[in-house]
Amino acid sequence: MPLDFNQNHFQLFGLPVRFVLDAGQLDEAYRGLQAKIHPDRFAHAGEAEKRLSMQWATRANEAYETLRSPFERARYLLWLQGVDAMDPKNTAMPADFIMQQMAWREALADTNRNRDAPALDRLEQELRGQSKAYQADLARLIDDARDYPRAAETLRKLRFMDKLLEEVDSAYAALD
Amino acid sequence: MALLQIAEPGMSTAPHQHRLAVGIDLGTTNSLVASVRNAVAVVLNDARGHGLLPSVVRYHEDGSTSVGQAAQARAADDPRNTILSVKRFMGRGIKDIPDATTLPYQFVDAPGMVQIKTVAGVKSPVEVSAEILKATRARAEAALGGELVGAVITVPAYFDDAQRQATKDAAKLAGLNVLRLLNEPTAAAIAYGLDNAAEGIYAVYDLGGGTFDISILKLSKGVFEVLATNGDSALGGDDFDRRIYCWVLDQAKIHTLADRDKALLLSHARAAKENLTDHDETVITVVLSTGEVINLRLSEAEFNAMTASLVNKTLTTTRKALRDAGLRPEEVKGVVMVGGATRMPRIQAAVGEFFGQAPLTNLDPDKVVVLGAAMQANVLAGNKSGGDWLLLDVVPLSLGLETMGGLTEKIIPRNATIPTARAQEFTTFKDGQTAMSIHVVQGERDLVVDCRSLARFELRGIPPMVAGAARIRVTFQVDADGLLSVTARETGTGIEAHIAVKPSYGLTDDEVASMLQDSYVHAQDDMVARNLAEARVDGQRLLEATQAALAENGQALLNSTELAQIETLMANLRMALRGTESTAVKQASEALNQGTTEFAARRMDLSVRKALTGHRLDELEI
């Protein structure tokens, strides 16, 4: 079996196993790998090589997509540590966090109702700011403190932010 | 004195012999074929010097066909048997064709894809498209003087799986080896980007005869990375013609038209649109078969007003693609215009206004796609090596499954880079349930009824267990052509059931084989000869690929026993190639394929390690 699934996504690209990541280095490693293994390189090769090339390119895309997204990267790092951060049994969130989420959702509903584009922009900035703060927390908790349970909680918060930002996207779409 | 090389039969005369490969733009209105000759991509013309081949097929009573100009010239006389814009029907059911009643064809509703009744029998859009592709193939073989190794066929980026599968089936039916299905805007980006040494974010706005695509690409150091794509596979220049057509009917207060007159009026509507590209006003004069004369004056302003909603639709779609890419219009460095319909002044103005810059029109919008496809075909055929560009393209529409309550569960999101695979686990909802039906859909909507149904299949033989105990893993794989295959297996007990599906709109290999057989039904010898020729081309290609692989690193990766085994298999294939038995050639090819699987795996491993370390081959320890 040529595909080495023991190799984790970081090793596949020759990167250190950590949350803080050099995006330029990741892009370069990904492109370098695809340049060698992409199915376009094997379009005139035999069936066996074509099949393997598709499997490798698929693997490279999966690894790249995981590492590129801060949420997926953190989730994957925790998974490597045996922590399932998105375990459906872990649904309890702190009360103040829930309150804040509700306030943002109300603000979003208001901008939708009033078709208020500037207010939507301001809300988006605020949400992105909070996401960045959680990402900084993740870097500290995973790379330095190695406090995986707390990192998992922060990751769940980040998931809420991502969901909100998706709804902001739909709100922009509705404005068109 | 120069010595002539004597080649063993079945071996290529030179290792770097130029392989004949073409790019084909199978368009709604016109098709083109191009090839790289002397390092330059050129459109291949017919004997009369025409580059554009009208995508028109006319069926005759004796079963023969005419394609292109000859067919188009008779469209008004024989509208029922002269099929125009067949691309609009590819992978589509009758309910997907809103204007079916205004078209002169006799549609037959068939499962999966609509069919058309002609004087030569019922034809599927796949068969009609195959006729067009056969004509491009014949043109290419005449121009290049030999059998083609393969072709890159372009498709709208927004084509769904059913439309892509139908296109690939048509190519197979035309006897073409499909090197790749390539998205039209991506093909245009290759032609444009390489010509202009472009770097940065580019938008490709592609309004063809019947389809609209917008792709946002990042070009850097020879990598063409599609960030997002969007579009409408039922919006194009034809719609602008139809607006004029309806306007004429309205102005002339005509309610019903003979089929012949429909075709006639449509061609006048198209001519009026094209005339407005260079004039502020045009006159439409049509003499109907009833003797009635239509004479109307159409101004550019009136035309712009009646088509404003079409233009706006393209801009809304463009905005969505930009949002998916996470970019604002001002971050786009250049906008490439593709497709004949972008010649309309109103389109250029609207796109320019949207992006805040004049769009790029320095390449012929009719030819840029086929030229890019030819460049890619040249690379894929293996004519170029080292310093090649790399294309990273995406899935245009999310792929998912139907879950409880008629809802869609997305498995692969739109704009995922291909090839890609995702798996999801499902379970049984009833005690003792031994089968599970799986419904594969494509689209962005939450409800299954609003998405396109691609395939339904059943996974049987699940061991009876309590509800929720079985683990059914469904895997979606999208290959480099953007085509989906789905497998499902029960993993809970270690007993596995496994099924691979092909979307129901596509044809099975048996169906393609039987259609090929049908088309040769009067010429049995032809079919035998064709089979042998195809087997030989495939076998030859495999031999060359193996030869090249051995030369590159056979010594390094194989021990002498393994090397001898492969050489024996190659000798067997060479022997078979000298004979006239297509089955013998196929068997020997298959044996060589099997026998080189392990070698291929080692080569791939080596490529991966090279990519990671950046070392040369001879520096690596094997």
Side-chain angles (χ1 to χ4, degrees):
Chain A
M1 187 61 199
L3 287 182
D4 181 5
F5 285 107
N6 294 322
Q7 216 180 17
N8 71 42
H9 293 343
F10 292 93
Q11 290 162 338
L12 183 66
F13 295 126
L15 295 167
V17 184
R18 49 181 291 141
F19 182 77
V20 171
L21 169 129
D22 180 339
Q25 210 182 341
L26 172 65
D27 284 358
E28 202 167 311
Y30 166 70
R31 287 160 173 227
L33 184 58
Q34 284 290 18
K36 294 279 182 204
I37 56 157
H38 194 275
D40 286 355
R41 296 282 184 264
F42 297 90
H44 61 287
E47 288 307 315
E49 274 180 274
K50 280 188 188 171
R51 196 173 55 246
L52 283 165
S53 138
M54 183 175 79
Q55 289 167 355
W56 266 108
T58 298
R59 168 91 173 86
N61 280 333
E62 182 197 357
Y64 181 58
E65 272 158 35
T66 305
L67 298 193
R68 199 163 46 157
S69 147
F71 173 83
E72 294 298 339
R73 183 166 75 243
R75 184 181 184 178
Y76 181 69
L77 278 164
L78 292 174
W79 180 80
L80 288 177
Q81 295 297 333
V83 177
D84 179 4
M86 291 299 129
D87 189 333
K89 288 190 288 274
N90 283 326
T91 49
M93 299 300 287
D96 56 342
F97 176 81
I98 300 287
M99 295 300 287
Q100 176 64 74
Q101 285 288 315
M102 284 167 64
W104 276 327
R105 282 186 182 278
E106 275 166 29
L108 183 58
D110 284 347
T111 60
N112 278 344
R113 207 168 26 246
N114 304 331
R115 301 184 64 80
D116 186 348
L120 190 59
D121 278 346
R122 282 195 301 276
L123 180 64
E124 187 184 4
Q125 291 309 315
E126 194 181 340
L127 297 176
R128 293 208 182 278
Q130 185 58 58
S131 277
K132 283 263 181 286
Y134 286 142
Q135 287 174 34
D137 289 348
L138 281 172
R140 191 171 44 76
L141 291 167
I142 294 174
D143 293 350
D144 304 331
R146 297 179 191 277
D147 184 344
Y148 304 124
R150 282 196 56 203
E153 193 189 307
T154 306
L155 191 65
R156 287 191 288 275
K157 290 180 179 170
L158 190 59
R159 166 70 107 200
F160 275 87
M161 301 309 299
D162 282 353
K163 290 257 185 225
L164 262 174
L165 282 164
E166 273 171 31
E167 286 176 34
V168 168
D169 258 0
S170 323
Y172 277 117
L175 279 179
D176 285 341
Chain B
M1 185 186 103
L3 286 175
L4 289 175
Q5 271 194 331
I6 298 172
E8 207 181 322
M11 288 265 296
S12 68
T13 45
H16 294 297
Q17 187 188 25
H18 187 79
R19 300 182 181 95
L20 301 180
V22 294
I24 300 173
D25 176 357
L26 180 61
T28 308
T29 320
N30 292 299
S31 296
L32 294 103
V33 54
S35 188
V36 172
R37 300 172 101 170
N38 305 320
V40 181
V42 288
V43 172
L44 303 175
N45 293 340
D46 67 6
R48 291 189 195 156
H50 294 298
L52 293 177
L53 175 76
S55 301
V56 183
V57 178
R58 180 170 175 229
Y59 286 93
H60 305 262
E61 216 161 335
D62 63 358
S64 65
T65 56
S66 46
V67 180
Q69 267 93 6
Q72 192 175 37
R74 303 294 303 279
D77 305 332
D78 189 14
R80 288 196 169 187
N81 301 306
T82 309
I83 321 296
L84 286 91
S85 299
V86 69
K87 190 173 177 178
R88 299 177 53 221
F89 315 139
M90 292 289 270
R92 288 290 170 259
I94 188 93
K95 65 177 188 336
D96 301 315
I97 305 164
D99 58 337
T101 52
T102 71
L103 292 166
Y105 314 123
Q106 289 178 280
F107 287 108
V108 181
D109 197 9
M113 205 186 306
V114 69
Q115 305 206 321
I116 299 165
K117 201 167 167 187
T118 74
V119 69
V122 176
K123 301 291 170 187
S124 85
V126 169
E127 289 171 277
V128 180
S129 298
E131 293 298 331
I132 301 168
L133 288 169
K134 276 182 208 164
T136 60
R137 178 180 163 198
R139 180 187 286 190
E141 289 181 344
L144 301 173
E147 185 118 353
L148 300 181
V149 161
V152 167
I153 319 271
T154 60
V155 289
Y158 212 59
F159 252 20
D160 67 26
D161 197 77
Q163 294 167 304
R164 283 168 199 269
Q165 191 64 60
T167 306
K168 196 166 182 182
D169 288 340
K172 273 193 252 169
L173 201 52
L176 287 164
N177 172 43
V178 180
L179 292 166
R180 189 69 75 228
L181 294 181
L182 178 61
N183 289 330
E184 287 162 9
T186 312
I190 296 175
Y192 182 84
L194 295 175
D195 259 25
N196 296 276
E199 295 267 315
I201 305 287
Y202 283 80
V204 180
Y205 179 103
D206 180 356
L207 189 64
T211 58
F212 171 64
D213 281 333
I214 177 81
S215 284
I216 313 295
L217 292 103
K218 186 165 133 191
L219 276 57
S220 88
K221 294 180 220 145
V223 181
F224 293 77
E225 187 178 1
V226 179
L227 301 177
T229 195
N230 212 313
D232 190 332
S233 59
L235 170 63
D238 286 2
D239 293 288
F240 290 74
D241 303 346
R242 272 191 293 276
R243 288 280 162 102
I244 297 179
Y245 174 96
C246 292
W247 176 82
V248 170
L249 291 185
D250 194 48
Q251 294 286 311
K253 302 192 170 47
I254 294 169
H255 301 290
T256 50
L257 272 182
D259 285 344
R260 186 188 178 286
D261 290 338
K262 285 180 186 173
L264 184 68
L265 182 53
L266 259 181
S267 75
H268 277 272
R270 172 171 303 171
K273 175 190 72 177
E274 288 169 0
N275 207 19
L276 284 173
T277 294
D278 304 311
H279 302 90
D280 302 337
E281 201 178 74
T282 186
V283 175
I284 302 169
T285 308
V286 190
V287 183
L288 298 178
S289 53
T290 57
E292 192 176 347
V293 179
I294 297 172
N295 195 7
L296 289 165
R297 197 172 284 274
L298 176 64
S299 74
E300 195 190 351
E302 281 172 300
F303 174 64
N304 288 348
M306 72 178 78
T307 56
S309 64
L310 297 173
V311 178
N312 281 335
K313 222 168 152 184
T314 69
L315 295 180
T316 304
T317 305
T318 302
R319 210 171 288 131
K320 282 186 193 156
L322 275 172
R323 192 179 304 109
D324 278 351
L327 294 164
R328 294 184 306 277
E330 59 269 26
E331 289 175 277
V332 172
K333 195 172 159 195
V335 186
V336 180
M337 298 297 260
V338 182
T342 60
R343 287 204 177 87
M344 284 184 266
R346 179 64 204 132
I347 298 274
Q348 299 201 3
V351 171
E353 207 174 303
F354 180 88
F355 285 101
Q357 59 180 303
L360 303 159
T361 52
N362 58 333
L363 290 179
D364 183 339
D366 283 324
K367 292 181 179 163
V368 60
V369 166
V370 80
L371 293 176
M375 293 171 173
Q376 187 67 0
N378 191 46
V379 169
L380 297 185
N383 286 331
K384 230 167 159 289
S385 63
D388 294 344
W389 55 88
L390 175 68
L391 297 187
L392 298 168
D393 219 315
V394 301
V395 182
L397 290 148
S398 302
L399 292 156
L401 287 175
E402 174 171 356
T403 61
M404 302 283 278
L407 293 174
T408 320
E409 169 91 15
K410 283 178 188 162
I411 310 283
I412 293 180
R414 69 170 185 273
N415 294 324
T417 305
I418 55 173
T420 185
R422 301 278 168 101
Q424 190 101 318
E425 280 206 342
F426 294 87
T427 189
T428 47
F429 64 95
K430 274 196 304 205
D431 285 350
Q433 188 180 340
T434 58
M436 182 181 248
S437 75
I438 289 166
H439 184 198
V440 183
V441 297
Q442 185 161 28
E444 305 312 315
R445 307 282 294 276
D446 291 330
L447 292 178
V448 164
V449 291
D450 298 325
C451 292
R452 176 154 300 273
S453 168
L454 292 179
R456 286 174 193 274
F457 69 97
E458 214 155 77
L459 178 68
R460 294 173 186 281
I462 302 171
M465 282 180 267
V466 293
R471 290 273 170 273
I472 290 111
R473 193 172 171 78
V474 181
T475 306
F476 279 43
Q477 168 86 55
V478 178
D479 67 15
D481 290 324
L483 291 173
L484 171 71
S485 61
V486 179
T487 56
R489 64 181 60 180
E490 203 287 314
T491 57
T493 54
I495 299 168
E496 293 198 356
H498 182 127
I499 186 167
V501 291
K502 211 172 152 181
S504 47
Y505 278 73
L507 301 170
T508 64
D509 287 343
D510 285 348
E511 280 174 294
V512 171
S514 92
M515 282 171 135
L516 270 174
Q517 205 134 12
D518 287 348
S519 62
Y520 288 106
V521 77
H522 300 298
Q524 184 66 21
D525 290 348
D526 258 16
M527 194 178 73
V528 173
R530 172 101 230 143
N531 262 336
L532 178 62
E534 280 173 4
R536 274 183 175 156
V537 169
D538 288 345
Q540 189 65 41
R541 190 159 53 221
L542 179 65
L543 259 188
E544 284 173 24
T546 313
Q547 189 75 35
L550 283 178
E552 198 180 327
N553 40 29
Q555 293 295 335
L557 295 178
L558 297 169
N559 64 35
S560 55
T561 319
E562 291 166 334
L563 193 61
Q565 275 167 356
I566 291 176
E567 277 170 351
T568 306
L569 292 169
M570 288 174 75
N572 290 345
L573 177 52
R574 260 180 229 126
M575 183 83 83
L577 283 169
R578 274 179 226 144
T580 54
E581 282 292 317
S582 66
T583 42
V585 177
K586 283 180 187 161
Q587 278 166 5
S589 297
E590 187 47 37
L592 180 56
N593 251 327
Q594 294 286 339
T596 50
T597 303
E598 176 59 27
F599 177 43
R602 287 183 204 167
R603 275 169 52 79
M604 193 66 60
D605 271 358
L606 186 65
S607 291
V608 172
R609 271 188 281 161
K610 274 197 290 185
L612 291 181
T613 54
H615 289 303
R616 294 205 322 276
L617 172 62
D618 52 12
E619 294 171 348
L620 279 171
E621 226 178 282
I622 311 293

